């Protein structure tokens, strides 16, 4: 029997449970932490609810490469059949794990799940959300070929659509379901969340909610096309996790080398046909909104010199401090 990608079998579950027990036992040997208050940085949790085919594996590899050196844990959230919407009971379990699992703090959680509002569950300290999005047509094209040919990260793994040689252009010309405009509707619902309206294709409310969450609930959202700058900003702002990330991205042997195999760029005619749909217009509006916000943040955090970007030093200080100490 062949396992569906993303659905853990008994062996994978057993290995995961063993890994968790090992870590918990190691912490127990070091001394109990249940009643010990963690300092601010060690109590930090980051959630990267990664959108498929946005360079998410490339970025996550950096987190894995740095976790031992920077002393934090990385955990993959593996949902059955990669379903991005959790049941209500799983939402409760997940929130409880994230907030009370001290052995896994500081923690970096990543997985293909839509945004979950921790405030709904009465949590006092919410996790830090980060994410990366991509030009919607480029993302769909990459996902289309990924399902057929895989990538150079795990070349031997059999993909769901393996054997289908039809190009993306041919799919669009024939009106195929795998390249339909409805398949573009993914980044908006990932940011919108677990409400039913988020997953109604073409919902204006969903797009507005996704924009609201991006601004108010996410620490930083980057774009695939400018991933190095996203990593550089994270290192400057959250060095507890990302110290050394920018250098690793530039020089690492594996962190940013994942490429979809056999990908053929679509023709101008194919792109123009997809761009006629209202769904593309909404997903593209959301992408442009995210890009503008990211570039705004970057413009206030870095300066360019001789073609290179440099993080600005601290640009504020305190004065006129009263009452004066004796």
């Amino acid at each position: 029997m062949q396992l569906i990608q993303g659905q853990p079998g008994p062996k994978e579950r057993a290995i995961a449970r063993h890994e968790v027990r090992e870590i918990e036992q190691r912490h127990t040997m070091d001394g109990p932490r249940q009643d010990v208050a963690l300092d601010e940085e060690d109590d930090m949790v980051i959630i990267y609810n990664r959108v498929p085919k946005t360079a998410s594996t490339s970025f996550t590899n950096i987190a894995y490469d740095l976790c031992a050196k920077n002393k934090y844990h990385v955990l993959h959230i593996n949902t059955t059949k990669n379903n991005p919407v959790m049941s209500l009971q799983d939402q409760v379990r997940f929130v409880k794990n994230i907030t009370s699992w001290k052995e896994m703090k500081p923690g970096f959680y990543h997985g293909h799940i839509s945004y979950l509002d921790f405030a709904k569950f009465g949590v006092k300290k919410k996790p830090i959300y980060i994410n990366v999005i991509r030009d919607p047509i480029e993302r769909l094209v990459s996902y289309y070929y990924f399902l057929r040919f895989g990538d150079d990260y795990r070349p031997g793994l059999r993909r769901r659509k393996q054997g289908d040689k039809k190009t993306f252009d041919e799919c669009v010309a024939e009106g195929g379901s795998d390249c339909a405009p409805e398949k573009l509707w993914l980044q908006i619902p990932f940011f919108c969340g677990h409400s039913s309206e988020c997953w109604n294709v073409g919902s204006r409310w969903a797009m507005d909610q996704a924009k609201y969450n991006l601004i108010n609930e996410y620490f930083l959202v980057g774009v695939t096309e400018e991933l190095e700058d996203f990593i550089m900003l994270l290192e400057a702002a959250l060095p507890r996790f990302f110290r050394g990330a920018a250098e690793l991205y530039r020089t690492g042997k594996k962190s940013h080398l994942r490429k979809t195999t056999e990908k053929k760029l679509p023709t101008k005619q194919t792109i123009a046909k997809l761009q006629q749909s209202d769904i593309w217009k909404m997903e593209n509006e959301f992408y442009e909104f995210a890009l503008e916000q990211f570039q705004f943040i970057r413009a206030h955090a870095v300066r360019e010199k001789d073609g290179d970007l440099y993080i600005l030093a601290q640009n504020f200080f305190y004065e006129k401090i009263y009452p004066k100490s004796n």
Side-chain angles (χ1 to χ4, degrees):
M1 185 178 75
Q2 193 174 38
L3 290 176
I4 300 173
Q5 185 198 4
Q7 183 174 5
K11 182 179 178 181
E12 287 78 7
R13 291 182 187 276
I15 292 173
R17 284 195 295 267
H18 177 70
E19 290 176 345
V20 168
R21 279 198 301 270
E22 276 193 334
I23 293 174
E24 289 182 334
Q25 287 170 1
R26 194 158 63 241
H27 280 285
T28 302
M29 292 172 64
D30 293 339
R33 295 179 62 179
Q34 284 78 6
D35 299 325
V36 178
L38 301 175
D39 65 37
E40 193 70 22
E41 285 196 335
D42 285 344
D43 195 32
M44 191 180 298
V45 171
I46 292 175
I47 296 180
Y48 172 34
N49 64 316
R50 39 195 285 201
V51 180
K53 303 314 297 176
T54 56
S56 62
T57 299
S58 301
F59 174 60
T60 303
N61 280 342
I62 292 176
Y64 276 111
D65 289 345
L66 292 174
C67 66
K69 179 181 177 181
N70 290 347
K71 294 182 169 49
Y72 62 87
H73 297 95
V74 182
L75 299 90
H76 178 217
I77 310 158
N78 192 334
T79 59
T80 302
K81 296 183 180 179
N82 281 334
N83 187 353
V85 178
M86 290 182 171
S87 67
L88 184 62
Q89 59 270 33
D90 272 350
Q91 292 177 40
V92 173
R93 295 183 187 112
F94 180 60
V95 170
K96 184 177 180 181
N97 289 156
I98 292 285
T99 54
S100 63
W101 202 359
K102 291 187 178 181
E103 290 83 3
M104 294 297 150
K105 291 183 178 179
F108 180 97
Y109 291 75
H110 66 97
H112 296 312
I113 58 170
S114 57
Y115 169 76
L116 184 62
D117 183 7
F118 277 60
K120 288 172 59 176
F121 301 86
V123 172
K124 293 181 180 178
K125 182 175 181 179
K126 298 195 292 185
I128 295 172
Y129 270 95
I130 62 172
N131 216 326
V132 177
I133 70 171
R134 187 177 186 177
D135 175 276
I137 291 181
E138 290 183 6
R139 193 205 66 78
L140 180 58
V141 170
S142 182
Y143 190 61
Y144 178 88
Y145 285 109
F146 173 74
L147 291 180
R148 285 153 178 79
F149 301 103
D151 56 27
D152 58 3
Y153 187 64
R154 291 187 289 178
L157 188 63
R158 182 175 178 82
R159 300 297 173 177
R160 197 168 32 170
K161 297 283 184 174
Q162 188 167 324
D164 181 4
K165 305 294 185 181
K166 189 182 298 180
T167 68
F168 188 80
D169 288 328
E170 291 168 343
C171 178
V172 172
E174 296 172 10
S177 59
D178 283 351
C179 55
E182 289 77 12
K183 294 294 185 180
L184 291 166
W185 190 259
L186 191 67
Q187 298 187 133
I188 285 175
F190 257 71
F191 279 79
C192 178
H194 277 68
S195 300
S196 63
E197 186 64 20
C198 296
W199 297 89
N200 286 340
V201 178
S203 167
R204 172 64 57 173
W205 181 91
M207 186 180 72
D208 290 342
Q209 185 64 38
K211 287 181 177 180
Y212 176 87
N213 288 342
L214 186 147
I215 295 297
N216 294 285
E217 304 295 344
Y218 280 79
F219 180 77
L220 184 65
V221 176
V223 294
T224 304
E225 296 79 5
E226 299 175 12
L227 188 61
E228 184 174 347
D229 293 354
F230 171 72
I231 292 169
M232 181 175 64
L233 289 174
L234 282 177
E235 179 173 353
L238 299 173
R240 176 67 180 80
F241 285 80
F242 298 105
R243 184 178 291 107
E247 181 66 20
L248 182 62
Y249 179 82
R250 285 191 290 266
T251 63
K253 295 180 180 179
K254 65 177 182 178
S255 290
H256 58 288
L257 295 179
R258 185 174 188 177
K259 291 186 176 68
T260 300
T261 308
E262 301 288 338
K263 185 168 65 175
K264 297 178 176 62
L265 296 178
T267 63
K268 292 181 180 180
Q269 292 85 349
T270 296
I271 294 173
K273 187 172 182 178
L274 285 174
Q275 288 177 341
Q276 292 173 7
S277 73
D278 290 336
I279 298 168
W280 173 81
K281 291 173 184 176
M282 295 180 71
E283 276 280 347
N284 191 64
E285 180 181 334
F286 179 67
Y287 169 77
E288 294 287 349
F289 178 83
L291 177 61
E292 182 179 357
Q293 174 67 8
F294 174 71
Q295 291 177 341
F296 176 83
I297 292 173
R298 183 180 60 188
H300 288 78
V302 304
R303 287 292 179 269
E304 184 176 355
K305 183 179 180 182
D306 299 328
D308 293 322
L309 294 180
Y310 296 89
I311 292 290
L312 290 175
Q314 182 169 314
N315 215 10
F316 71 93
F317 60 95
Y318 304 101
E319 62 178 2
K320 300 179 181 178
I321 303 170
Y322 287 84
K324 297 291 187 181
S325 58
N326 293 329

